[in-house]
Amino acid sequence: MTRYLLSVHTRANVTVEPVPEERMRESHERLGRIERDMAEAGAWVFSGRLHDPDTATVVRMAGDEVLTTDGPFAESKDHLGGFYVIEAPDLDAALGWAGKVTACIGVPIEVRPFAGFADEPMV
């Protein structure tokens, strides 16, 4: 099995129409079912939702000194809003899980394999 990162992307500072409470509840229930299905299938490893990018702190080296600055690291409209780490037999299976999540939450999901798992060489 290969591990895949399913990156859930969001757009910062975009005004969206408020979602009615009933629709939000239904969406959370659907997402909960997908996550339970992932766990039951042995695919789910870990997942998390992130705070907005303006809460980030960037840590970097400047010569021999470690510096911290307010984030985000990359100036962009699109940001990582959350992620899943899953195990899947192949890319098609990972894309299947990503398709279920994106259909539920309506935002893009990038799928990338981790290096160094299964038959993947470390690079």
Side-chain angles (χ1 to χ4, degrees):
M1 293 279 237
T2 300
R3 285 195 177 171
Y4 292 88
L5 176 67
L6 279 54
S7 303
V8 180
H9 292 270
T10 59
R11 182 151 284 183
N13 302 321
V14 172
T15 304
V16 295
E17 286 190 35
V19 177
E21 187 175 325
E22 178 66 17
R23 229 172 88 204
M24 184 67 77
R25 185 183 60 73
E26 290 171 359
S27 177
H28 283 120
E29 286 175 3
R30 280 195 326 268
L31 190 57
R33 280 193 301 274
I34 292 167
E35 291 172 352
R36 282 190 300 281
D37 289 348
M38 280 183 188
E40 289 171 7
W44 186 88
V45 176
F46 184 77
S47 64
R49 181 173 178 242
L50 301 173
H51 281 283
D52 289 336
D54 62 352
T55 65
T57 303
V58 178
V59 181
R60 70 180 88 214
M61 294 298 296
D64 292 335
E65 190 176 346
V66 176
L67 299 179
T68 60
T69 56
D70 291 340
F73 174 72
E75 295 296 324
S76 173
K77 290 182 181 179
D78 296 319
H79 297 280
L80 182 62
F83 61 92
Y84 291 86
V85 176
I86 65 166
E87 288 187 338
D90 54 37
L91 178 60
D92 288 338
L95 294 174
W97 288 116
K100 290 179 182 191
V101 174
T102 196
C104 180
I105 63 176
V107 298
I109 299 191
E110 178 183 57
V111 178
R112 293 175 65 183
F114 281 89
F117 286 91
D119 296 327
E120 295 290 319
M122 290 291 281
V123 261

